[in-house]
Structures are given as structure tokens and as C-alpha cells.
Amino acid sequence: MASLKDRIDGLRKTFEESAREIGDAKSLEELRTAFLGRKKGHVTLLFEDLRSVPPEDRREAGRLLNEFKSFVQARLRDLGEKAIPGAKYAAGRVTGTSSVTAGATVIHSDEDLTLPGRKRYVGAIHPLTIFEEKIERIFLAMGYTIEDGPEIETDYYNFGALNFPPHHPARDQWDTLFIKGDLLLRTHTSPVQVRVMERSRPPIRIICPGRVFRHETPDPTHLPMFLQVEGLVVDEGVTFAHLKGTLVHFLRALFGETVKVRFRPSFFPFTEPSAEVDIECLVCSGGDPGCRVCGGTGWKEILGSGMVHPRVLANVDIDPERYSGWAFGLGIDRTAMLAFGIPEMRYFYENDLRFLRQFGDL
Ligand code: DAH
């Protein structure tokens, strides 16, 4: 043990003597190799000798050696900072010796300069928000205002006031998630129409985006929770031509002037007449019989619409003899799928950053 201590002391002296000579990165690297070099470094060799130390002394010898190694490393770091101001020098394995000799950079032992840099990501707006805001801007430009309503609704606002008679089979079309008694999760944004008409008088021009809920089994185009935007116009002399003109304008502003749109007769208890609107499938353009979005039909239904049923107006004390209105409800997620060319609605909700990072402004 004594001899080990002596050897260490001797080496410490040698180290300090050489340290005085250090003037640049090159001599510093030579000193480092002399002591910590992997094959013939003094410290390395001392560690090799540890094997021949009797077991009962090995612990203490190891401690002394480690202490000396730390000393050498710390000194080299100091010397590095002095010899090359501003540089970090750690006395371990040095990668990229050429840049050390160039004198410009001294490399931290743990750094592997061949690794690519770590990119910092800035948060981004969710694709559904981007899309919803685009819809809002189109209607705001036409003088509509944005309204809001509760996600937990009563049977009356979700169904009754919208002209669904109690126990009418039309209710089955909306697979309702009931809460308790009269309360349910709204199945569409149409109850907001009723709330707005109750608290304001024509002329009314509103849209209402929001979450809706249905008892659905998830598939590529259905989820138990999704987004809709409702639209409502009530005034004197409002006709189906206004409905058609506005919706065509809206869809062209959203998808471009050349988008193909078709109106189909339909039925909703709260509108008469009613129409559903399809746009061409922008995922397969009608060319894929196995398309997961349109099922090969080439069309995708994106909204329901119609002239507000006189009974709905009467329910909120708006005189149907004097006023008429039109309304629509659009599936935001489904329409965004077409706009972005996404075959799976679930992608929007899984928060997979690889998916979310792909979206910029439309
Ligand atoms: N609420 C309907 C649905 O969820 C969509 C709808 C159809 C809304 C016609 C309307 C409308 O305002 O007039 O399927």
C-alpha cells in the first residue's frame, strides 16, 4: 500500500511539472494521453496493477486510485479552461481530436458530435381547431355571430322543442347518451338554435360550433364524441334559395371554387323541407371502390339542413306566418377529414405528436 501511495505521489509531481508547460490544446491533449490514455496512461496502468494487490488491501488501493484519477481529471479541466479560454475540457474519452488540435473547440467527453441535434418543437394548433376557425371566419365575414350552448341538455331542448314528439321513432336516429331523468348529453348542436331563438328576435344569423355525443361504436368515420357546427338564419322572406346559395358559397370558400356539391332530399323533424348535402370524396375522388371514407360511392355526407319547421318557430314564440328560417348542422371532424385527406377520424383524438405536427394553416 505504501508503495502505491508513493507511486501516486510521484505521478502527482510529474503531472504538476508537465502542467506548467501546457500552452495550447495540443500539449494538453498529450498530458491527458500520458495519464488517462486507454493503453499506456499512468492511471490506466495503475488500475491494471490493482489486480495484483492482495484482496484485503484492494479496497483501499481502489479508493486511492479513484481519488487520483478524479484529481487528474479535475486538473485537466482547469488547465483546459486556462489554455483555451471559454472552452470546456473534460479529461475522459475525447472524440474528434482534430477539432481539439485545431484549437477552436475542446470537446466534452460525454458528447458524441456525430449525433444529430435535438430539435425543440413549438406547440401547434390542433387540426380540428384550425378547421373550426376557418369555418367561423367564413360565416363571420357574412355577418353571422357565434353562439354557444351547454353540452349537458334537457330532453326538451335536444328533442321536444325541435319537434320530436315523445316516443317518436325519429329519436332513435340519434343514439342518445342519457344522464339522469331529463338530462342527456346533447346529440347535436341543434338545441342551441332553440336557446338562441328563445332569447333573441329576428333577424337572427348565427353559427354554433361545439361538441356532441352519441352512443356509437367507433369506426373510421364515427366516434362517440365529435364536433358539429350549427347554423341558423331567421328573418322575413327567408327561402330555400338562401339556404342553397349560402351553403354552396360556404363549401366553395372551404374547399375551393371547383368542389362538387350535391343536395339530396331528406328528413329531420325540425325542418321542412329537409336536405342533406354531400361533397365529392376528396380522399379517393370516387376512384377507390374500397375507400374507407366514402365506401367507394365517391360522395360523403357532411351536413343536414332545411327550412326551420313552423312548429319549431312557434315553440319559441316566433310567428311562423311572418318569419321563416333555414338551418344546417355540419360534422366538423368528418369534413376536416376530407379537407386534410385523413382516412381515420380517431387520429384527431389520439394526440399522436407525429400526426399532429403535420398541420399548418390550411
Ligand atoms: N342536427 C342534425 C344532426 O345532428 C343536423 C341538422 C339537420 C341540423 C338539419 C340542422 C338542420 O340545423 O336544419 O344530424
Side-chain angles (χ1 to χ4, degrees):
M1 190 64 61
S3 73
L4 180 68
K5 252 197 201 130
D6 293 345
R7 281 172 73 191
I8 288 178
D9 286 344
L11 284 172
R12 205 186 293 264
K13 238 184 241 152
T14 318
F15 181 91
E16 287 304 350
E17 273 158 24
S18 318
R20 258 173 258 136
E21 316 280 296
I22 298 288
D24 58 6
K26 191 161 174 274
S27 48
L28 181 66
E29 176 59 15
E30 276 163 13
L31 181 60
R32 190 201 69 79
T33 316
F35 278 79
L36 300 177
R38 272 210 277 180
K39 285 207 181 107
K40 288 194 202 135
H42 297 303
V43 177
T44 317
L45 294 175
L46 282 178
F47 270 102
E48 269 167 27
D49 290 349
L50 202 56
R51 262 179 261 146
S52 55
V53 171
E56 63 273 20
D57 294 337
R58 213 170 278 162
R59 204 183 149 89
E60 176 61 10
R63 195 188 61 74
L64 286 171
L65 275 184
N66 277 319
E67 199 178 80
F68 182 55
K69 187 178 176 188
S70 305
F71 160 80
V72 171
Q73 286 172 332
R75 287 291 289 126
L76 285 170
R77 208 173 299 127
D78 286 351
L79 291 164
E81 271 165 26
K82 268 183 219 130
I84 304 121
K88 263 200 230 158
Y89 190 89
R93 184 177 58 89
V94 175
T95 47
T97 325
S98 60
S99 52
V100 172
T101 43
T105 327
V106 180
I107 302 130
H108 191 281
S109 60
D110 300 334
E111 281 167 10
D112 178 353
L113 294 190
T114 61
L115 286 175
R118 252 173 245 149
K119 194 170 170 184
R120 310 251 165 215
Y121 288 100
V122 179
I125 300 177
H126 192 279
L128 287 176
T129 309
I130 294 174
F131 197 66
E132 187 180 307
E133 286 177 354
K134 180 156 185 176
I135 293 172
E136 287 174 3
R137 279 198 296 276
I138 297 169
F139 280 97
L140 287 170
M142 291 192 278
Y144 288 60
T145 50
I146 299 174
E147 294 285 347
D148 214 351
E151 290 172 3
I152 295 176
E153 267 298 4
T154 60
D155 185 273
Y156 175 75
Y157 285 106
N158 199 78
F159 292 123
L162 288 165
N163 195 34
F164 289 77
H167 313 297
H168 190 280
R171 289 178 181 227
D172 295 344
Q173 214 183 310
W174 284 263
D175 301 285
T176 313
L177 291 158
F178 294 96
I179 297 177
K180 199 174 165 190
D182 208 25
L183 294 178
L184 47 82
L185 290 173
R186 68 179 179 193
T187 59
H188 50 183
T189 41
S190 302
V192 186
Q193 285 188 29
V194 181
R195 291 182 176 274
V196 170
M197 288 191 285
E198 272 182 351
R199 63 174 180 246
S200 47
R201 296 290 93 181
I204 293 170
R205 266 197 312 262
I206 57 121
I207 58 164
C208 159
R211 256 186 260 272
V212 300
F213 307 84
R214 290 186 197 174
H215 187 266
E216 297 263 16
T217 306
D219 72 22
T221 56
H222 295 87
L223 284 180
M225 188 209 79
F226 57 100
L227 295 166
Q228 281 193 339
V229 59
E230 192 80 11
L232 173 72
V233 173
V234 184
D235 203 352
E236 283 175 287
V238 171
T239 70
F240 198 90
H242 295 119
L243 175 158
K244 204 171 168 189
T246 311
L247 288 179
V248 168
H249 165 80
F250 161 62
L251 293 173
R252 286 185 181 160
L254 199 57
F255 287 106
E257 286 300 310
T258 54
V259 70
K260 280 196 215 120
V261 177
R262 83 178 176 188
F263 285 72
R264 276 182 297 108
S266 184
F267 170 80
F268 298 100
F270 36 94
T271 46
E272 182 58 36
S274 308
E276 279 178 315
V277 178
D278 302 338
I279 67 162
E280 62 184 309
C281 177
L282 299 169
V283 171
C284 78
S285 300
D288 175 9
C291 177
R292 289 166 78 197
V293 171
C294 70
T297 61
W299 293 97
K300 192 68 198 160
E301 180 222 313
I302 54 166
L303 67 85
S305 63
M307 301 306 293
V308 181
H309 197 289
R311 228 173 277 149
V312 174
L313 294 176
N315 285 341
V316 290
D317 276 332
I318 290 179
D319 179 4
E321 297 295 328
R322 184 171 165 202
Y323 294 105
S324 54
W326 69 272
F328 74 92
L330 168 118
I332 293 181
D333 317 63
R334 208 181 256 208
T335 315
M337 285 172 70
L338 294 171
F340 291 121
I342 294 164
E344 212 4 291
M345 190 153 144
R346 275 174 279 201
Y347 291 164
F348 286 129
Y349 294 95
E350 285 171 346
N351 288 333
D352 183 331
L353 292 180
R354 291 168 304 176
F355 172 76
L356 294 175
R357 278 187 189 130
Q358 297 175 77
F359 299 90
D361 266 324
L362 260 189

